[in-house]
Amino acid sequence: MNTRDMIDMALRNLLKRKVRTVLTILGVVIGTASIVVMVSIGIGMNKGFAQQLENWGSLQVINVYPSGGMVYDEESDSMKQEKKQDELNAKAVETFRQMEHVEAVSPVIEEYMYLTAGKYVADASIMGIEPGAMEALGYKVEEGRALSAEDSKAIVVGGGVEFYDPKLSWEMRYTSEPPVVDVLNEKISITYDWNYGTRNADKTIKPVKVDAVGKLSAEGNDSWRVIMPIKELEKLQKARQEWEKKQYGANNGSNRNQTKEYQQVLVKVDEMDHVQSVQQQIKDLGFRASSLTDELEAMKETTKMLRLVLGAIGAVSMVVAAISITNTMVMAIYERTKEIGIMKVIGASLKDIKGLFLTEAAFIGFSGGVIGIVVSFGISFIVNVVAARQGSTMQSSIPLWLALGGVAFATGVGILSGYLPAKRAMKLSALTAIKTE
């Protein structure tokens, strides 16, 4: 018996008993949909966590800090001072660049200074980075453009930076409606004179003119930050230190960044799957390193039990469907005993008989799997709509691999469920089967 004849015969046999076949397929539909929807909710939860964390920054960026900070000691259940191992300097930055899977590296320094736009001033946390690495490090520019390697006196301003009139009282500065300042079309300067714009301003401090080329989103951790090339910020740092030294003397001036060690280094990894391995390599060198993937893994671990429970609930439905398929195939053997005997007498091999019953079981599993996937997409859509209306971050996501896996799993369950009945059909005696009424 060739494959085409076997398929035709299997379909005819299933269509002869439409009600039983439909009910059995319905069981597979419910089982497949249950498993796929439950797993999709777990996948959706992980995606929701990732999207939530992406508002804080890129999941592929590792934050590296100098060693020697305060760390948690599990043995004493308290914080302790970590021993200094190595400096986070230019040599360390070059070492990070040479690591496998590292896409971009930038040292970071931060200073608290002021932006000026005409008569208005804005408090700003200014971060200096390698300008050519800005886009690679995941900073999303909402207007204008990101910094490029050619930029020198250029800045990108966070959407949450608010200007005020420095002549107002401290209370009025932060309670009155902030003025609207179009930073991309205004003449912007940076100064470290906290009295700028008032009669107490230090005229020896000359604001440094800069060009605002882009604007970050007003949401996220970087919304209150100003980003500029690190070399320009180092010049501002040096000028500020010299001014403070003149103002307060050698012993009372600022000690910030007197060494060549960076406050922080950002390391961009090519793929999220490699973040943890690169992060561990950096830790092995003696530096402190962290990334948002640490938070993501912690969130996944927290919901791991919930996802296992959801998958188990779906699996129970599929077990019931498997029992239903087995029952259907066993009943088919009892009803078609004489037919099986005739097939054996006219020369059908045991392999053909086994293949026929397995084909019927596979059709039931495959049909139920396909319909179950269609139903799953519908349920997933409804879940997402309801969640969106209620403002919930929970969602359902069915990737292609899950849909194809659901159909393959349902088909496999069908074949396995039909195996024992097929073996039973093979063992029937031809003469006894023919005599059966």
Side-chain angles (χ1 to χ4, degrees):
M1 186 184 299
N2 59 41
T3 303
R4 183 174 179 178
D5 291 337
M6 190 176 294
I7 292 173
D8 288 341
M9 185 177 293
L11 287 173
R12 283 200 304 270
N13 289 332
L14 290 174
L15 291 174
K16 283 179 184 177
R17 300 162 183 84
K18 293 185 179 67
V19 175
R20 184 190 298 167
T21 302
V22 169
L23 290 176
T24 307
I25 290 175
L26 182 60
V28 180
V29 169
I30 294 172
T32 303
S34 298
I35 289 181
V36 171
V37 170
M38 295 302 179
V39 173
S40 73
I41 290 175
I43 294 172
M45 289 171 68
N46 290 340
K47 277 192 173 182
F49 292 150
Q51 290 172 1
Q52 186 178 356
L53 290 173
E54 280 177 352
N55 292 329
W56 302 354
S58 173
L59 291 170
Q60 293 170 239
V61 174
I62 300 171
N63 300 286
V64 185
Y65 303 96
S67 59
M70 297 298 291
V71 295
Y72 177 72
D73 182 20
E74 293 184 358
E75 293 183 3
S76 61
D77 192 26
S78 62
M79 301 298 290
K80 70 173 185 178
Q81 182 71 30
E82 185 183 42
K83 184 179 179 181
K84 184 77 173 177
Q85 296 190 44
D86 204 351
E87 284 196 349
L88 191 61
N89 51 24
K91 181 181 177 182
V93 170
E94 191 58 34
T95 301
F96 301 155
R97 279 202 179 96
Q98 301 305 318
M99 289 182 178
E100 189 178 5
H101 303 303
V102 170
E103 194 174 274
V105 180
S106 174
V108 175
I109 59 173
E110 287 198 62
E111 282 289 341
Y112 192 83
M113 295 187 184
Y114 305 89
L115 292 187
T116 72
K119 66 176 184 178
Y120 299 119
V121 173
D123 304 341
S125 174
I126 302 179
M127 183 172 75
I129 64 171
E130 294 288 351
M134 182 176 176
E135 280 189 296
L137 292 172
Y139 292 101
K140 298 176 182 177
V141 178
E142 200 169 70
E143 295 180 52
R145 64 174 177 83
L147 298 177
S148 66
E150 292 75 28
D151 286 323
S152 56
K153 294 183 180 294
I155 61 171
V156 173
V157 183
V161 174
E162 294 182 349
F163 286 81
Y164 59 85
D165 187 343
K167 294 180 180 179
L168 296 175
S169 66
W170 286 99
E171 183 180 355
M172 289 297 293
R173 288 181 188 183
Y174 300 106
T175 57
S176 58
E177 188 71 22
V180 177
V181 177
D182 185 1
V183 292
L184 298 182
N185 296 303
E186 286 280 352
K187 293 181 179 179
I188 305 294
S189 298
I190 297 177
T191 182
Y192 44 87
D193 181 8
W194 59 82
N195 289 317
Y196 180 87
T198 69
R199 59 185 178 182
N200 297 320
D202 189 333
K203 294 183 180 179
T204 64
I205 301 175
K206 302 296 181 184
V208 177
K209 293 180 181 179
V210 291
D211 183 20
V213 298
K215 193 172 180 180
L216 299 171
S217 170
E219 299 178 356
N221 288 353
D222 299 311
S223 61
W224 300 95
R225 181 173 281 159
V226 175
I227 301 175
M228 72 181 300
I230 188 169
K231 289 184 179 179
E232 292 302 315
L233 186 53
E234 285 175 339
K235 291 178 183 178
L236 281 168
Q237 257 189 354
K238 187 176 180 181
R240 182 178 193 169
Q241 290 165 8
E242 291 176 354
W243 175 81
E244 289 177 343
K245 188 175 180 180
K246 290 178 182 179
Q247 289 290 111
Y248 307 111
N251 296 326
N252 296 324
S254 170
N255 292 320
R256 61 171 65 87
N257 286 349
Q258 294 295 324
T259 68
K260 294 181 180 180
E261 187 171 31
Y262 296 114
Q263 299 167 347
Q264 181 186 0
V265 172
L266 298 178
V267 178
K268 169 68 180 298
V269 181
D270 56 3
E271 293 181 15
M272 202 169 77
D273 292 340
H274 300 141
V275 170
Q276 289 295 317
S277 62
V278 174
Q279 185 172 316
Q280 188 58 50
Q281 290 180 58
I282 294 171
K283 287 181 178 179
D284 292 341
L285 292 174
F287 301 104
R288 291 182 293 135
S290 64
S291 63
L292 290 176
T293 55
D294 296 335
E295 298 291 334
L296 182 59
E297 291 302 318
M299 289 179 173
K300 287 182 178 179
E301 193 63 31
T302 302
T303 60
K304 185 177 181 179
M305 184 57 66
L306 176 59
R307 287 183 281 121
L308 288 174
V309 171
L310 292 176
I313 292 172
V316 169
S317 300
M318 186 56 82
V319 169
V320 174
I323 295 172
S324 177
I325 295 173
T326 303
N327 180 63
T328 297
M329 300 312 297
V330 169
M331 291 300 296
I333 292 172
Y334 284 123
E335 293 173 354
R336 293 155 56 190
T337 301
K338 191 170 185 177
E339 177 186 329
I340 295 169
I342 294 172
M343 289 175 62
K344 287 186 174 183
V345 169
I346 62 175
S349 66
L350 295 178
K351 182 180 177 182
D352 289 337
I353 295 171
K354 179 183 177 181
L356 177 62
F357 281 89
L358 290 179
T359 302
E360 292 179 20
F363 267 120
I364 292 174
F366 178 77
S367 303
V370 171
I371 298 171
I373 293 299
V374 174
V375 172
S376 299
F377 276 106
I379 296 173
S380 179
F381 176 77
I382 294 171
V383 168
N384 291 338
V385 169
V386 173
R389 287 180 178 177
Q390 294 182 350
S392 172
T393 57
M394 188 186 81
Q395 55 180 303
S396 172
S397 175
I398 305 177
L400 180 62
W401 66 264
L402 180 58
L404 296 177
V407 174
F409 182 68
T411 305
V413 168
I415 293 172
L416 289 175
S417 301
Y419 182 76
L420 289 178
K423 291 281 286 185
R424 183 185 181 90
M426 290 169 59
K427 293 178 180 179
L428 284 176
S429 168
L431 294 177
T432 304
I434 291 174
K435 293 177 181 179
T436 301
E437 292 297 331

